Amino acid sequence: MPQILVDHSAELALDRAGLAAELHKAVTEVIDTTVPECKTLFRPVPHHTVGDGTSGEALVLVEIKILAGRSTAQRAELTARVRDVLGAHIAVPAAIGVQVTELDRDTYRFVHHPGR
């Protein structure tokens, strides 16, 4: 179920496959899910500004969407683990933000569409 959205500065060199693998592993160590259930989107953005724009820092914002029902401690642990994984993959100065968002179990749906 987890959906991981990684918005990042387009010029930031990332090993996307390696990063996704480590993010998926971190998620499974904190919440009750499996690696095949994890999905990650990388969304490079061509323009970004941190503060007044003079720092030159790259920007990485990660949102992890999970089904509601996990404790605050679990969500905080997930945030910390993801932040650590990102730190290990980013070799340049960067502003990093991580947010865990809960999805309503009664209204969220996900399917593997076979195509037409």
Side-chain angles (χ1 to χ4, degrees), residues 12-100:
L12 185 62
L14 289 175
D15 170 11
R16 292 179 181 167
L19 178 55
E22 285 191 45
L23 290 172
H24 295 180
K25 182 177 183 286
V27 169
T28 64
E29 291 172 350
V30 178
I31 65 171
D32 183 27
T33 193
T34 63
V35 168
E37 292 175 320
C38 295
K39 296 154 286 293
T40 297
L41 282 177
F42 289 92
R43 304 185 298 194
V45 293
H47 306 288
H48 76 280
T49 302
V50 177
D52 65 4
T54 61
S55 72
E57 290 177 297
L59 180 61
V60 181
L61 301 174
V62 177
E63 180 180 16
I64 304 129
K65 297 182 180 189
I66 60 174
L67 290 174
R70 276 51 178 238
S71 69
T72 301
Q74 281 179 302
R75 295 190 314 271
E77 176 66 18
L78 183 54
T79 298
R81 294 268 190 107
V82 168
R83 184 196 59 226
D84 291 347
V85 168
L86 289 168
H89 278 262
I90 298 171
V92 299
I96 299 172
V98 180
Q99 171 66 43
V100 175

Side-chain angles (χ1 to χ4, degrees), residues 101-116:
T101 303
E102 292 187 303
L103 299 172
D104 186 321
R105 289 177 180 270
D106 293 332
T107 60
Y108 174 77
R109 300 292 178 268
F110 181 86
V111 299
H112 291 273
H113 178 62
R116 293 191 263 166

